[in-house]
């Protein structure tokens, strides 16, 4: 039983998160232990939302990664804020517009990959340039506040647990079910292991990839809306940190970079770990340089400890 | 056969088109001085692209090359300026560190994307520790090299050709280059023939580190002061340069000459967009568009090749 | 007897609980062609990996030319001692040229002019073994047809720079070669052994072994169970030594004439003749390897210039690249093709999935204690059975088979043949590309392919090797 648990890759990410949290509260002699966790849950949810999308993309096989997530977050935030225009009555249309824009990015990404046969890294990178320019041009200079209900939803808590975290937990469970119990989910895993074999086994490879890139962009859109609610407005650099964060959480969480193996719980552990790590270093009063170095070494350390892929 | 030739020629054609368009928009650039100015940053970009290419040859990807180049510029502007011996030692240590990372990635069979992602934080952190804000001074000899005046052709073009040809000889024509590319094409076949994959990977990573150091020093010679963030974009440039130059992410298919040409194209595209007076909002978008157009052309050529 | 080339004594190798080699003694004399046969999982591949230095045995000793080799026996050591191996899955780098691939196995090929020497070396050897090979030393491997790749790799194994060629191991060397090239290779093996090099020939084509080998060793369960001169074996005694009896297949009479046409397709790669397969029929695709048979199957699979009544399923021959999902259990590998049918309220019914997997494990007699084990715990033959189960468990009315018996042992084959026959009698249609002429006896009809077109259609009474070869080579056929 114990051996089986230790073989689960997500155990490492939760272990690391726990260790970092304990180190922090040991330093503060237990002060703010709960508050740190609450904050971690709040901030981690954004990473988890995009992490789930990135996980699906990475699982569809080597070379698949979505680098347009930050730009999509920014675009979605800008569109949502501008369409809502601080008017609660326009919230629904704002959400639809933002998610619509994000979905279009996903369709465009897949179009580049499929029709122009551009490697996904370069395709999503190039499209992110275009998307970012669109976001800059569209939402330039204006700082619009989110409608109050949106801001409240993003900040609400029940017993110290953010409502958003609960919603994202539900989303994560749904994603786990999708992966193991739907034809789409199985197709993602099969395509990731061997796309030719998946095609010959009667699975629809093209549709699977298409849905995956659209899903990733859609989730980035969701993240953009919630993030602008949480931070009371969209900003042109609001997506920046999520490029590294989305990839790092997926991989630290035990999803295989070679494709075909996804891990939903690991994303939670990894996202909490990454946030708590920064909190710990801030608590210790480390300088910016030290903080960066330790963050980097920890990421490397976790991936080394969790071990690499099995030889295939 | 024709199609394959066309695909290999595509990077060169792209460069020619971007160059012609630049000349058309701004005829004054069609001069020794104009080219020198437009292309001066092509040298560090080309060196960084070559560094990335070595890593891509063995099917890995280096997401840390940008911050690494920034770190080198910081070391160059401080340690190398104040104490050349110590500075050289520090730079050699960094190349060794690259080799060690390659060994780690190979031995533990780790995803290079994640390891180098972590590494990018480490490089940036060290650089920020050395130079919390931009400063320091470039050694005189670096400035002198980067501003050397060559008759007839501007220095950046000569330098790019030399870099491309030297690496082409080493990787595409030498007998050891075959082993390095083979390691990307079919690692199992290499180890079955008794070659050490570990050694190959370490060598390729150290070469990447070496060219990263050259890129950082070249950049320092141009900017004349160090800055931890000066090369953050280089990670993306270097990957885009390799791909524009006809390289592929897996399978050991790379082209040093193409990579250098890809880097030149990227450097030129920046100037071109400024000349076009595109709204600053869309500058970055236009770069994305150029990348997409070139890759679309390549897809078109390859598609025809497959159909035939 | 001639001098010893290489000798193994008491070699053992275990992978976890599985004992792949249980104390093997093997001597190969210089100038000898040794045939090695055995079922999948008998230990042949493991033994070859030990001989070529790619696996370190758990116990046992190795001697070169009569002298014990006391250092670590590695791949590099094997190269240096002139031991070469052509593995079943090819060991060429697809991104390099033929000449560059020669450099990889020859350390002395360096310095100025190495490429010229490499070119000359491989060109001369290719000309010697396979006249009319049509391969240039500067061709990139990725641009060569699969058969040409195999030729290049075989020729590379026989090239010599420094030192001597002591032993060449050929593991299923003719699997992708057409009949002519295969004959050229076997003739060359005889010439090469006459010059003093030793060759170990592993093949599932017993005819090849019987006609080429001087001596035959039979392996079973990680041990050698028979070791005699080739002349002391017959086909039947060889099969008996491997531990499975050769069963004669009785083909039902051709009775499909009036049945519904399930597939009709016309090769896009050439010709005007079209293919037809009726309900309950087993239609063979034959001819020399690589003449458009696989392309025909893929064309049908993609519905291009082909019409069909009913769903399709595809059984790949190249398990690793076209078939198996490495990370998944045997059960999941079996149910992949049936996922849509296993849905209940939008979600896959896990209990029904487990039932389906269990049922087909039984019906195909897949040898595993638990279908939840990883697919790679199975031997190659059993993995192939899982792929058959994947197709047969599905709702497909038409099954396309792309030379699925490649490298499968005789026992497994017999079981699968019976299964195909039973399924055909239930009304399923099979379109079966096969490189083994014997398998045509299980077909009701066959199409012979040449240069991408259908060169001939053979009825049930014409399914003989002679007719097949005639149609494959003749210039003009109806």
């Amino acid at each position: 039983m114990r051996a089986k648990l230790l073989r689960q890759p997500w155990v490492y990410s939760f272990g690391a998160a726990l260790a970092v949290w304990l180190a922090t509260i040991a330093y503060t002699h237990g002060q703010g232990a709960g508050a740190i966790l609450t904050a971690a849950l709040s901030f981690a949810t954004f990473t988890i939302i995009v992490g789930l999308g990135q996980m699906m993309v990475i699982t569809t096989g080597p070379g698949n990664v979505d680098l347009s997530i930050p730009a999509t977050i920014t675009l979605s935030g800008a569109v949502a804020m501008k369409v809502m225009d601080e008017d609660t009555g326009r919230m629904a249309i704002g959400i639809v517009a933002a998610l619509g824009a994000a979905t279009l990015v996903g369709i465009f990404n897949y179009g580049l990959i499929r029709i122009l046969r551009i490697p996904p890294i370069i395709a999503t990178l190039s499209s992110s340039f275009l998307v970012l320019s669109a976001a800059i041009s569209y939402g330039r200079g204006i700082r619009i506040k989110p409608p109050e209900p949106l801001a409240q939803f993003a900040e609400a808590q029940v017993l110290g647990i953010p409502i958003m975290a609960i919603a994202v937990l539900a989303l994560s469970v749904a994603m786990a079910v999708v992966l193991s119990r739907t034809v789409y989910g199985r197709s993602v895993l099969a395509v990731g292991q061997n796309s030719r074999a998946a095609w010959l086994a009667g699975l629809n490879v093209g549709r699977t990839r298409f849905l995956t890139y659209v899903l990733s962009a859609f989730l980035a859109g969701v993240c953009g809306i919630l993030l602008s609610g949480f931070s009371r407005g969209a900003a042109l650099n609001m997506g920046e940190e999520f490029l590294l964060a989305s990839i790092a959480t997926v991989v630290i969480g035990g999803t295989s970079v070679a494709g075909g193996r996804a891990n939903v719980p690991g994303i939670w552990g990894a996202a909490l770990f990454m946030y708590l790590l920064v909190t710990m270093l801030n608590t210790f009063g480390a300088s910016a340089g030290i903080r960066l170095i330790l963050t980097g070494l920890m990421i490397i350390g976790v991936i080394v400890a969790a071990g690499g892929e099995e030889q295939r | 056969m024709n199609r394959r030739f066309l695909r290999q020629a595509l990077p060169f054609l792209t460069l020619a088109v971007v160059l012609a368009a630049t000349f058309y928009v701004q005829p004054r650039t069609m001069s020794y001085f104009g080219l020198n100015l437009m292309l001066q940053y092509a040298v560090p970009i080309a060196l960084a692209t070559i560094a990335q290419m070595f890593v891509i040859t063995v099917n890995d990807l280096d997401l840390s090359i940008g911050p690494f180049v920034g770190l080198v510029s910081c070391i160059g502007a401080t340690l190398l300026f104040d104490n050349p011996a110590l500075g050289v030692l520090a730079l050699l240590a960094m190349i060794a560190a690259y080799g060690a990372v390659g060994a780690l990635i190979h031995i533990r069979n780790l995803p290079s994307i994640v390891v180098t992602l972590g590494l990018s934080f480490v490089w940036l952190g060290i650089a920020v520790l050395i130079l919390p804000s931009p400063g320091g001074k470039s050694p005189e000899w670096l400035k002198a090299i980067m501003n050397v005046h060559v008759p007839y052709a501007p220095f950046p073009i000569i330098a790019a050709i030399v870099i491309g040809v030297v690496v082409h000889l080493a990787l595409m024509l030498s007998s050891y280059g075959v082993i390095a590319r083979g390691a990307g094409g079919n690692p199992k076949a290499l180890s079955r023939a008794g070659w050490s994959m570990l050694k190959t990977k370490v060598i390729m990573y150290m070469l990447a580190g070496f060219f990263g150091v050259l890129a950082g020093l070249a950049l320092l010679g141009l900017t004349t002061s160090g800055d931890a963030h000066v090369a953050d974009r280089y990670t993306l440039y270097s990957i885009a340069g390799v791909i524009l130059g006809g390289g592929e992410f897996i399978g050991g298919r790379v082209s040093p000459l193409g990579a250098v040409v890809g880097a030149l194209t990227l450097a030129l595209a920046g100037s071109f967009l400024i000349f076009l007076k595109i709204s600053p909002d869309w500058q970055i978008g236009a770069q994305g568009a150029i990348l997409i157009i070139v890759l679309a052309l390549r897809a078109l050529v390859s598609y025809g090749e497959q159909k035939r | 007897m001639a001098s010893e080339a290489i000798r193994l004594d008491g070699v053992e190798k275990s992978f976890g609980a599985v004992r792949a080699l249980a104390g093997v003694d093997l001597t190969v004399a210089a100038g000898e062609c040794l045939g090695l046969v055995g079922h999948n999982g008998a230990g042949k591949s493991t033994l070859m990996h030990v001989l070529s230095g790619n696996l370190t045995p758990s116990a046992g000793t190795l001697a070169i030319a009569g002298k014990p080799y006391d250092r670590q026996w590695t791949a590099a050591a094997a190269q240096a001692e002139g031991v070469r191996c052509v593995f079943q899955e090819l060991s060429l780098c697809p991104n390099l040229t033929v000449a560059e691939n020669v450099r990889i196995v020859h350390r002395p090929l360096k310095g100025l002019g190495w490429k010229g020497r490499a070119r000359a070396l491989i060109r001369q050897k290719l000309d010697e073994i396979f006249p009319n090979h049509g391969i240039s030393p500067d061709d990139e491997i990725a641009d060569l047809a699969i058969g040409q790749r195999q030729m290049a790799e075989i020729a590379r194994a026989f090239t010599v720079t420094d030192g001597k060629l002591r032993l060449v191991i050929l593991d299923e060397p003719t699997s992708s070669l057409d009949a002519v090239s295969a004959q050229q290779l076997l003739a060359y093996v005889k010439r090469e052994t006459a010059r003093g090099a030793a060759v170990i020939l592993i093949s599932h084509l017993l005819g090849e072994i019987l006609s080429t080998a001087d001596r035959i060793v039979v392996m079973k369960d990680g041990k050698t169970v028979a070791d005699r001169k080739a002349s002391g074996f017959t086909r039947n005694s060889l099969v008996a030594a491997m531990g499975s009896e050769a069963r004669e297949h009785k083909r039902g009479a051709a009775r499909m004439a009036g049945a519904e046409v399930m597939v009709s397709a016309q090769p896009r790669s050439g010709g005007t003749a079209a293919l037809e397969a009726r309900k309950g029929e087993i239609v063979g695709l034959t001819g020399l390897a690589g003449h458009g048979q696989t392309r025909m199957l893929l064309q049908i699979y993609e519905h291009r210039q082909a019409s069909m009544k009913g769903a399709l399923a595809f059984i790949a021959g190249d398990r690793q690249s076209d078939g198996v999902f490495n990370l998944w259990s045997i059960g999941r590998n079996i149910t992949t093709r049936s996922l849509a049918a296993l849905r209940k309220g939008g979600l896959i019914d896990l209990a029904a999935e487990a039932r389906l997997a269990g049922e087909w494990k039984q019906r195909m007699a897949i040898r595993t204690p638990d279908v939840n084990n990883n697919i790679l715990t199975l031997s190659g033959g059993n993995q192939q059975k899982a792929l058959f189960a994947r197709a047969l468990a599905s709702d497909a009315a038409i099954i396309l088979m792309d030379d699925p018996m490649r490298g499968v042992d005789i026992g497994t084959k017999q079981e699968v043949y019976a299964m195909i026959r039973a399924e055909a009698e239930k009304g399923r249609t099979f379109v079966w590309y096969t490189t083994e002429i014997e398998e045509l006896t299980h077909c009701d009809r066959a199409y012979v392919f040449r240069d991408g077109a259908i060169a001939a259609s053979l009825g049930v009474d014409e399914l003989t090797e002679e007719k097949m070869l005639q149609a494959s080579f003749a210039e003009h056929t109806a």
Side-chain angles (χ1 to χ4, degrees):
Chain A
M1 182 63 203
R2 192 165 150 263
K4 200 172 172 189
L5 191 67
L6 282 180
R7 252 184 285 132
Q8 297 292 330
W10 52 267
V11 169
Y12 292 93
S13 59
F14 273 100
L18 186 67
V20 172
W21 180 64
L22 288 177
T24 313
I25 58 172
Y27 187 82
T28 64
H29 303 291
Q31 267 188 350
I36 291 175
L37 271 188
T38 302
L41 279 173
S42 291
F43 284 98
T45 47
F46 300 111
T47 316
I48 292 166
I49 295 172
V50 287
L52 288 171
Q54 188 73 277
M55 173 189 79
M56 296 303 261
V57 173
I58 287 179
T59 302
T60 58
N64 282 294
V65 67
D66 186 354
L67 299 186
S68 70
I69 285 178
T72 312
I73 291 175
T74 308
L75 179 70
S76 151
V79 170
M81 291 306 100
K82 207 156 174 188
V83 172
M84 291 178 192
D85 200 18
E86 303 188 18
D87 180 356
T88 308
R90 291 174 61 82
M91 242 176 75
I93 183 172
I95 290 174
V96 170
L99 294 181
T103 305
L104 282 179
V105 174
I107 295 173
F108 182 66
N109 280 340
Y110 183 71
L112 293 179
I113 294 166
R114 180 63 205 265
I115 300 168
L116 298 186
R117 300 188 191 178
I118 300 178
I121 292 185
I122 293 290
T124 53
L125 181 68
S126 329
S127 88
S128 80
F129 288 170
L130 283 167
V131 172
L132 195 61
S133 273
I136 293 173
S137 173
Y138 178 73
R140 179 145 50 122
I142 316 165
R143 189 132 179 113
I144 309 171
K145 285 206 187 99
E148 204 44 39
L150 179 62
Q152 274 168 4
F153 173 77
E155 287 164 0
Q157 290 180 13
V158 176
L159 302 172
I161 300 171
I163 296 251
M164 229 171 38
I166 298 169
V168 173
L169 183 64
L171 176 71
S172 308
V173 171
M175 201 62 96
V177 171
V178 163
L179 268 172
S180 69
R181 304 270 317 260
T182 66
V183 176
Y184 163 70
R186 289 284 182 90
S187 301
V188 168
L189 298 172
V191 168
Q193 293 174 62
N194 184 337
S195 61
R196 187 173 160 83
W199 174 61
L200 289 173
L203 301 175
N204 192 329
V205 177
R207 189 174 65 199
T208 303
R209 290 224 166 102
F210 170 75
L211 287 175
T212 303
Y213 277 92
V214 170
L215 179 67
S216 172
F218 181 85
L219 289 175
V222 172
C223 177
I225 298 171
L226 291 175
L227 194 60
S228 33
F230 187 77
S231 48
R232 306 218 154 234
L236 291 178
N237 62 350
M238 65 193 270
E240 233 166 49
E241 59 181 302
F242 289 97
L243 176 58
L244 304 188
S246 70
I247 300 176
T249 45
V250 170
V251 179
I252 291 174
T255 291
S256 165
V257 183
R261 192 190 301 131
N263 196 315
V264 175
I267 293 198
W268 277 76
L272 290 173
F273 163 68
M274 301 247 300
Y275 178 79
L276 289 170
L277 178 64
V278 175
T279 310
M280 178 183 82
L281 294 174
N282 279 333
T283 313
F284 290 179
S287 78
I290 298 285
R291 220 157 56 212
L292 285 165
I293 294 174
L294 283 179
T295 307
L297 288 179
M298 288 272 190
I299 292 177
I300 298 173
V302 169
I303 191 76
V304 171
E309 309 299 317
E310 289 126 48
Q311 296 282 355
R312 298 178 88 201
Chain B
M1 194 65 210
N2 258 339
R3 293 272 181 183
R4 167 161 294 207
F5 175 76
L6 196 59
R7 200 175 58 195
Q8 280 168 356
L10 198 59
F12 298 88
L13 289 176
T14 312
L15 179 63
V17 169
V18 176
L19 200 60
T22 312
F23 287 158
Y24 178 77
V25 175
Q26 188 56 269
R28 266 179 297 171
T29 56
M30 208 184 337
S31 65
Y32 182 93
F33 182 73
L35 278 174
N36 212 352
L37 201 65
M38 275 196 306
L39 288 175
Q40 56 175 350
Y41 283 96
V43 178
I45 294 179
L47 288 164
T49 304
I50 292 287
Q52 182 72 260
M53 190 197 66
F54 280 117
V55 177
I56 289 182
T57 305
V58 286
N59 298 344
D60 282 347
L61 202 58
D62 182 4
L63 296 184
S64 76
I65 190 71
F68 181 78
V69 170
L71 171 57
V72 170
S73 97
C74 289
I75 292 179
T78 52
L79 218 50
L80 192 66
F81 185 80
D82 301 329
N83 185 340
L86 210 58
V88 169
L89 213 62
L91 293 177
L92 288 178
M94 297 197 28
I95 296 175
Y98 244 85
V101 169
L104 181 72
I105 287 175
H106 178 75
I107 293 169
R108 295 282 296 164
N109 198 18
L110 302 176
S112 62
I113 299 186
V114 184
V115 175
T116 55
L117 197 67
L119 208 55
S120 67
F121 285 92
V122 176
W123 300 142
L124 197 60
I126 300 175
V128 169
L129 281 184
I130 295 175
L131 265 183
S133 58
K137 268 208 171 84
S138 160
E140 285 306 320
W141 54 271
L142 268 180
K143 275 193 263 181
I145 292 177
M146 292 311 292
N147 292 303
V148 81
H149 276 259
V150 191
Y152 308 117
F155 170 70
I157 294 181
I158 303 285
I161 292 174
V162 170
I163 296 165
V165 168
V166 167
V167 179
H168 183 83
L169 285 176
L171 194 62
M172 307 307 283
L173 299 181
S174 83
S175 56
Y176 191 76
V178 169
I179 304 305
R181 284 180 294 129
N186 187 348
K188 216 172 185 175
L190 263 287
S191 38
R192 273 178 182 167
W195 296 95
S196 159
M197 276 304 293
L198 175 64
K199 199 175 127 194
T200 312
K201 223 161 197 178
V202 168
I203 289 176
M204 296 309 270
Y205 268 81
M206 285 179 78
L207 280 170
F210 175 69
F211 277 87
V213 164
L214 293 186
L217 294 179
L219 189 57
L220 179 61
L222 292 168
T223 56
T224 69
S225 70
D227 178 358
H229 288 283
V230 67
D232 283 357
R233 281 244 142 137
Y234 274 39
T235 303
L236 303 183
Y237 280 153
S238 65
I239 298 172
V242 173
I243 301 302
L244 276 182
E248 285 171 26
F249 280 117
I250 45 170
R253 284 176 207 279
V254 293
S255 156
L257 291 172
V260 168
V261 167
L264 285 176
T265 311
L266 282 172
L268 204 58
S271 313
F272 175 61
L273 292 173
I274 292 170
F275 293 138
L276 272 186
K277 300 204 176 70
I278 288 185
S279 140
D281 289 353
W282 285 98
Q283 288 263 345
I284 184 168
Q287 267 184 351
I290 289 182
L291 215 57
I292 290 173
I293 291 168
V294 170
L295 289 169
L297 283 175
R298 186 157 104 192
L300 214 63
V301 172
S302 303
Y303 183 64
E305 183 173 47
Q306 275 181 3
K307 241 180 138 178
R308 210 158 48 97
Chain C
M1 186 164 197
S3 65
E4 237 174 70
I6 197 162
R7 194 180 76 229
L8 293 175
D9 284 306
V11 168
E12 293 178 21
K13 178 74 193 175
S14 301
F15 299 99
V18 182
R19 207 149 172 238
L21 294 178
V24 172
D25 305 321
L26 184 75
T27 309
V28 188
E32 174 185 48
C33 176
L34 177 71
L36 188 62
V37 296
H39 282 175
N40 285 335
K44 288 171 301 180
S45 296
T46 311
L47 187 63
M48 295 309 108
H49 278 94
V50 168
L51 269 176
S52 60
N54 285 294
L55 274 179
T56 312
S58 328
T61 57
L62 180 143
I64 295 286
K67 285 189 277 301
Y69 194 86
D70 43 16
R71 277 163 293 155
Q72 181 82 357
W73 183 247
T74 60
Q79 287 287 334
E81 292 294 340
V83 176
R84 308 276 179 71
C85 192
V86 177
F87 292 96
Q88 220 173 322
E89 65 301 12
L90 301 183
S91 299
L92 298 171
C93 296
N95 59 327
L96 302 181
T97 66
V98 176
E100 285 174 334
N101 269 291
V102 173
R103 145 71 183 152
I104 283 173
V105 294
H106 288 296
R107 275 156 203 270
L109 284 178
K110 57 184 176 190
L112 276 181
W114 70 268
K115 211 172 221 174
R117 280 178 281 143
R119 279 191 196 113
L121 202 60
I122 191 70
R123 186 184 294 125
Q124 183 254 330
K125 194 53 81 178
L126 274 168
D127 289 345
E128 189 181 344
I129 306 177
F130 305 107
N132 308 320
H133 49 77
I135 302 168
S136 153
D138 290 319
D139 283 342
E140 220 174 74
I141 298 298
D143 294 341
L144 296 179
I146 177 85
Q148 289 180 314
R149 289 184 206 184
Q150 194 159 24
M151 289 184 197
E153 172 147 16
I154 291 167
R156 181 179 76 163
F158 284 103
T159 52
V160 181
T161 41
D162 59 350
K164 64 173 276 187
L165 194 60
R166 195 180 304 276
L167 170 68
V168 179
I169 301 163
L170 300 172
D171 191 353
E172 298 287 355
T174 58
S175 60
S176 304
L177 297 183
D178 58 53
V180 174
S181 311
Q183 284 310 318
Q184 289 172 339
L185 171 64
L186 297 177
Y188 177 78
V189 165
K190 288 193 168 167
R191 273 180 278 150
E192 188 65 42
T193 48
R195 272 181 254 160
V199 171
I200 295 182
L201 178 64
I202 301 175
S203 176
H204 63 283
L205 300 173
L206 301 181
E208 277 181 14
I209 297 276
L210 286 165
S211 69
T212 311
D214 303 310
R215 188 161 61 95
I216 298 177
V217 168
V218 180
M219 283 189 79
K220 189 179 172 185
D221 301 332
K223 278 183 273 204
T224 59
V225 292
D227 181 348
R228 263 179 277 159
K229 278 205 161 329
S231 51
F233 280 106
T234 63
R235 203 191 131 78
N236 282 336
S237 69
L238 204 47
V239 172
M242 283 191 283
S244 85
E245 67 275 33
R247 268 172 281 168
E248 266 308 302
H249 168 76
K250 287 201 196 79
R251 195 176 57 243
R255 64 210 135 65
M256 318 297 170
E260 189 184 1
V261 175
M262 296 296 283
V263 185
S264 57
Q266 203 241 309
R268 283 155 56 89
S269 39
T272 51
L275 170 150
E276 255 185 22
R278 291 171 185 275
K279 193 172 169 68
E281 201 175 27
I282 304 175
V283 175
L285 307 185
T286 178
L288 300 182
H291 275 246
Q293 298 94 333
T294 300
R295 253 179 292 158
M296 179 84 250
L297 291 178
L298 289 176
Q299 188 192 322
I300 297 173
Y301 189 70
E302 293 176 308
H303 292 76
R304 295 215 271 186
Q305 283 180 32
S307 62
M308 61 223 59
K309 294 181 183 143
L312 295 168
F314 194 100
I315 302 175
D318 190 336
R319 285 186 294 280
Q320 264 318 306
S321 78
D322 297 350
V324 163
F325 297 111
N326 284 344
L327 299 175
W328 273 355
S329 67
I330 301 158
R332 275 202 175 188
N333 265 287
I334 291 175
T335 56
T336 320
R337 176 66 183 71
S338 310
L339 291 176
L342 288 169
R343 277 181 304 190
K344 214 163 80 183
L347 294 181
I348 294 167
D349 181 348
L350 297 183
E353 185 183 16
R355 272 198 305 278
L356 188 73
E359 181 198 332
W360 280 93
K361 176 204 152 185
Q362 291 288 326
R363 291 181 64 175
M364 294 299 304
I366 297 171
R367 290 188 186 87
T368 177
D370 186 353
V371 286
N372 294 317
N373 287 345
N374 182 278
I375 184 82
L376 297 182
T377 59
L378 295 179
S379 69
N382 277 297
Q383 287 179 27
Q384 194 66 46
K385 281 187 187 173
L387 294 186
F388 269 96
R390 181 191 291 169
L392 297 178
S394 76
D395 57 0
I398 303 156
I399 314 272
L400 308 173
M401 303 197 284
D402 181 20
D403 200 10
M405 302 297 185
R406 242 178 267 171
V408 172
D409 62 279
I410 288 185
T412 304
K413 278 182 184 173
Q414 296 297 349
E415 292 170 26
V416 175
Y417 294 151
M419 194 74 186
I420 291 173
R421 173 53 56 192
E423 288 292 321
E425 256 143 39
K426 283 189 212 156
R428 273 188 158 145
T429 305
F430 289 83
V431 183
W432 182 359
Y433 166 38
T434 170
T435 49
E436 290 172 39
I437 292 168
E438 284 176 20
E439 288 185 343
L440 287 178
T441 60
H442 299 277
C443 298
D444 298 314
R445 227 148 40 74
Y447 292 100
V448 182
F449 277 69
R450 179 157 45 82
D451 294 329
I454 294 175
S457 162
L458 304 181
V460 68
D461 307 321
E462 305 168 294
L463 293 173
T464 62
E465 180 168 1
E466 193 197 350
K467 291 262 187 201
M468 193 287 272
L469 285 174
Q470 268 174 8
S472 304
F473 289 103
E475 280 306 320
H476 303 285
T477 324

